[in-house]
Amino acid sequence: MTSPHHPQSWPEEPGDAAPSFAAATLPSATIRLEAEAAAFITRYRRNRRRYAGGALVGYLAFTVVASTTPELMRSRVAGHLSAALLLMAMQIVTLLWAVAGQRLQAERLDRETAGVREQLAAHRHQRQA
Amino acid sequence: MSTPGNQAMLVVGFLLFMALCGFLCLLTDSDQDDSHLAQPLIRPLRPWQHGLAISGTAMSSVSLLGITGLVALTGGDGMTLLLGMVLSMVLLALVLAEPLRRAGHRTVSDALARRMPQRSVRVALALVTLLVCLCFLVLQLATVGTMTAFLIGLPGDGPKTACIVMIGVLMVSLAVTGGLRGTALIQIVKVVILLLTMGAVVAIILHRADWNPERLLGGAASRSGLGDAFLGFGVQYGPGALGIAERLGTAAGLPLAIACLPQVTMRVLAVPSPRATRSAMRWAVAQMLLISALLAVIGLGAAAVMGANALVTADPTGSSSILVLSHALDPDGFLLSAVSCAVFLAALATITDVTLAAAGAVGHDLYAQVMHGGEVSRARVMTFARWSAAVIGGLAVVLAAFASSWPLLVLSALGVALSSSALGPALVYGLLWPRFTSQGALWCLYGSTVLSLALTAVSPLISGSASAVFPDLDFHLIPLTVPAVVTLPAGFALGWLGSILPRRKAAAAAQRFEELTQAEFAGVDAD
């Protein structure tokens, strides 16, 4: 009745086997890796803020304009196409831009971070052991 | 609207869908939801299937009927709600789904428990989840029961109550026997059938308009009786400061409410990995965009073909617009039967999902985690959850039978207010704000719930207006019919205030959040 249990991961499981160099690394390497990870996490967050912010700010601006200036929204732009319908169409374009842009950026970041994630996971497993 | 031939077709269609859903539930077998040992009868769902299930869960039958009616009667205001539905999926895709899937195990409480393991937070989340689920269950059951009685030509309160009870019992039994994967399959079938039937209606509408959108818009505007106002905003809530506030409240509250609904987050948590979540959400956004576009055309078509007067005569709220239009487009009744069956299937899928989400809150959160501290076998949890689903479903059927004569706007307004203002801030802060503490969670969960209930109780939805629950009484104190205008900002403010007041705890929470984020990045357990 509930979902299967899955281990937590970001964004996919790292390799099962630790890289062979992991055993020989020093604590300073862990510190360096954690700093790199922190920088990547910041980039993930910035990526999310950029696209989600763009979509939400656009929608809020649309909502405020649509709610406060109903008369203006009724004015026709071309044929029966009103300013309201045009703004709505622009909103949909903005939403699609946000979804597509966030996906492309996130996948690029996934590729860049794969190595760091594997090394960091190996170090953490080593420390826990 | 219904003839004996139509009625027979409808009953056969309803029974066929019930049989199909029962078959899917048996095929998937709910016991296998948690079993890694048994070989499942069907293979695990793929990300695109999860995406369809997520968007299908978000689009309930009440939204389908209600928003189409609003588009037909108010034009731009209804279309704004459809845009809000799409935004809810975008909000999930960009902000909530991935962090939720990374953090959560089975329920939202699990996701927050990493940062806030206190039982009080779990109890609060489970109680609010139950309240939201009950609101939606009663709303869906009352709507589908009323629709069924209307379609099969049984007027009066008695047959309506009988329809609610029979449909409720059947749907709840599906939720009890079917697991998460079984109901996901039902959602996928629902989405496909909805797209096919709505696509057929849209094709007929556009054919009538000579495939000219200009002609459709012009016809809808002229026959709506509103003229150019139909193509703008402001018809639903009227002019003035109150109208502006209610429009803002609806536009801001609806997307967040849908994104945070327990049944929607339950579907997100069922996706096998965070990367799969990203893929699933793309499908969910695309499907929601497609169905919203179809519903917008159907609403415009209803206004253009039928005119506002005919729609209001059939149903003052406009909720039966799609059914009235289907009958007008095909007087033989085949289209009406197909659309009614699709709406019935949508209701069935929604009710089973909401029942499952409520059972998850009781079985997993309250019984397994709060009462037994997680030290209980999965088999016992499953048994308890099944019984919980039966009890919650039974309670919802009884409440729906009583509430069937109420204006159902009160339940949807309360459900949206609770989901957006109590669950919304808890989820957004819990997944994204490092300084969020358990005190902040309790303040926003309990504070917003009490505020939502209080504002609804003293609003014109309950008393003081002809369309109120108690039209003969008048104890309303505020003119607001959209409590989310107040409760949404209040919920976020309470969560923020409760978190920053003990500064030491907020700093510790921020440190814990960073540790967890680093651990998730590496793909290891922080503890």
Side-chain angles (χ1 to χ4, degrees):
Chain A
M1 197 169 283
T2 50
S3 69
H5 179 86
H6 301 283
Q8 299 170 11
S9 62
W10 183 338
E12 259 327 290
E13 307 307 321
D16 291 335
S20 56
F21 57 82
T25 48
L26 297 168
S28 62
T30 309
I31 294 168
R32 178 184 57 79
L33 279 173
E34 286 187 351
E36 278 185 46
F40 277 123
I41 289 169
T42 307
R43 284 180 65 188
Y44 271 110
R45 283 180 183 156
R46 200 178 300 146
N47 178 35
R48 186 170 58 205
R49 260 201 300 270
R50 179 183 173 197
Y51 290 104
L56 291 179
V57 168
Y59 178 76
L60 285 180
F62 160 77
T63 307
V64 171
V65 171
S67 302
T68 51
T69 59
E71 293 295 331
L72 181 69
M73 293 292 109
R74 290 170 193 175
S75 54
R76 294 193 186 186
V77 179
H80 284 98
L81 183 68
S82 63
L85 295 180
L86 186 68
L87 272 182
M88 254 190 264
M90 286 164 62
Q91 269 304 300
I92 289 170
V93 173
T94 311
L95 295 182
L96 291 177
W97 161 81
V99 173
Q102 195 258 2
R103 174 203 167 192
L104 287 176
Q105 291 292 326
E107 286 183 353
R108 203 181 72 186
L109 273 172
D110 285 350
R111 285 194 295 273
E112 286 181 32
T113 56
V116 176
R117 276 186 288 112
E118 279 188 16
Q119 289 179 42
L120 197 60
H123 280 240
R124 281 177 175 261
H125 282 308
Q126 200 178 20
R127 270 193 307 189
Q128 281 172 355
Chain B
M1 190 158 75
S2 52
T3 63
N6 289 353
Q7 289 163 9
M9 233 187 313
L10 280 173
V11 173
V12 169
F14 287 0
L15 290 175
L16 268 178
F17 278 132
M18 289 299 303
L20 173 71
C21 294
F23 175 70
L24 287 175
C25 287
L26 288 176
L27 189 72
T28 49
D29 187 0
S30 63
D31 283 340
Q32 291 173 9
D33 278 355
D34 289 285
S35 169
H36 300 286
L37 300 173
Q39 182 64 36
L41 292 173
I42 61 164
R43 65 182 176 200
L45 298 180
R46 293 183 174 174
W48 68 269
Q49 292 171 313
H50 280 290
L52 292 190
I54 291 168
S55 60
T57 305
M59 176 60 81
S60 69
S61 57
V62 173
S63 309
L64 199 78
L65 295 170
I67 297 182
T68 314
L70 267 178
V71 174
L73 296 183
T74 66
D77 285 342
M79 284 192 252
T80 313
L81 296 186
L82 286 174
L83 185 64
M85 303 283 292
V86 178
L87 184 77
S88 70
M89 289 296 103
V90 173
L91 191 65
L92 261 179
L94 298 183
V95 183
L96 297 174
E98 237 181 297
L100 177 65
R101 181 60 200 85
R102 243 186 285 126
H105 290 200
R106 293 189 171 90
T107 62
V108 169
S109 297
D110 284 339
L112 296 193
R114 298 177 321 144
R115 299 182 58 191
M116 293 165 243
Q118 295 89 338
R119 287 184 179 189
S120 55
V121 179
R122 264 195 197 273
V123 171
L125 257 174
L127 291 179
V128 177
T129 300
L130 270 180
L131 203 53
V132 173
C133 288
L134 261 183
C135 276
F136 275 86
L137 270 178
V138 173
L139 180 66
Q140 302 287 335
L141 276 171
T143 306
V144 75
T146 306
M147 184 196 83
T148 308
F150 172 69
L151 282 172
I152 57 179
L154 296 171
D157 285 343
K160 198 179 2 175
T161 305
C163 283
I164 290 172
V165 172
M166 274 170 41
I167 291 170
V169 168
L170 284 169
M171 292 180 181
V172 171
S173 63
L174 276 181
V176 173
T177 53
L180 204 57
R181 280 195 304 147
T183 51
L185 286 180
I186 296 177
Q187 286 290 355
I188 294 165
V189 172
K190 158 193 157 177
V191 166
V192 172
I193 288 177
L194 269 182
L195 287 176
L196 288 175
T197 47
M198 300 302 148
V201 176
V202 165
I204 298 173
I205 291 170
L206 289 176
H207 179 69
R208 277 202 171 201
D210 295 331
W211 301 92
N212 183 353
E214 262 290 296
R215 201 169 158 188
L216 179 65
L217 279 174
S222 64
R223 296 208 65 195
S224 68
L226 297 168
D228 280 352
F230 184 82
L231 301 173
F233 302 118
V235 175
Q236 189 185 3
Y237 294 112
L242 182 64
I244 292 173
E246 295 200 318
R247 272 196 296 282
L248 281 173
T250 306
L254 185 74
L256 187 61
I258 293 172
C260 298
L261 279 175
Q263 64 269 31
V264 175
T265 49
M266 174 185 79
R267 289 268 161 239
V268 172
L269 285 165
V271 183
S273 73
R275 184 176 286 172
T277 310
R278 206 182 291 159
S279 179
M281 286 315 303
R282 283 205 305 276
W283 280 91
V285 171
Q287 195 281 131
M288 187 59 88
L289 191 59
L290 185 58
I291 194 92
S292 297
L294 293 177
L295 293 182
V297 176
I298 291 172
L300 291 174
V305 173
M306 303 301 301
N309 286 340
L311 296 175
V312 172
T313 307
D315 179 357
T317 64
S319 293
S320 63
S321 295
I322 191 169
L323 304 175
V324 174
L325 173 70
S326 305
H327 185 63
L329 293 177
D330 174 27
D332 292 339
F334 180 76
L335 191 62
L336 174 66
S337 303
V339 169
S340 306
C341 287
V343 173
F344 179 76
L345 182 62
L348 191 148
T350 307
I351 291 168
T352 47
D353 261 15
V354 181
T355 311
L356 272 183
V362 175
H364 179 72
D365 293 335
L366 290 181
Y367 178 73
Q369 299 296 330
V370 174
M371 288 169 65
H372 292 91
E375 301 297 319
V376 61
S377 71
R378 282 304 300 162
R380 281 187 68 185
V381 176
M382 293 288 283
T383 308
F384 191 85
R386 279 207 183 94
W387 280 104
S388 308
V391 170
I392 293 163
L395 179 64
V397 169
V398 172
L399 289 175
F402 280 111
S404 61
S405 56
W406 290 7
L408 296 175
L409 181 65
V410 64
L411 286 170
S412 65
L414 181 61
V416 166
L418 285 172
S419 181
S420 64
S421 340
L423 296 179
L427 201 57
V428 172
Y429 282 151
L431 295 174
L432 304 173
W433 189 34
R435 301 177 78 82
F436 191 49
T437 63
S438 55
Q439 180 173 295
L442 293 174
W443 281 27
C444 73
L445 283 167
Y446 286 129
S448 295
T449 303
V450 171
L451 193 62
S452 300
L453 291 170
L455 287 181
T456 307
V458 296
S459 73
L461 294 167
I462 300 292
S463 71
S465 72
S467 58
V469 174
F470 305 111
D472 301 332
L473 300 175
D474 187 3
F475 50 85
H476 88 280
L477 300 174
I478 55 165
L480 277 177
T481 55
V482 183
V485 181
V486 177
T487 59
L488 180 58
F492 277 97
L494 283 169
W496 172 76
L497 204 62
S499 298
I500 60 154
L501 278 183
R503 287 183 175 276
R504 188 177 50 80
K505 283 188 179 175
Q511 192 183 350
R512 171 74 179 153
F513 183 81
E514 292 305 330
E515 282 171 12
L516 285 166
T517 309
Q518 280 251 351
E520 284 165 6
F521 180 83
V524 294
D525 195 341
D527 300 317

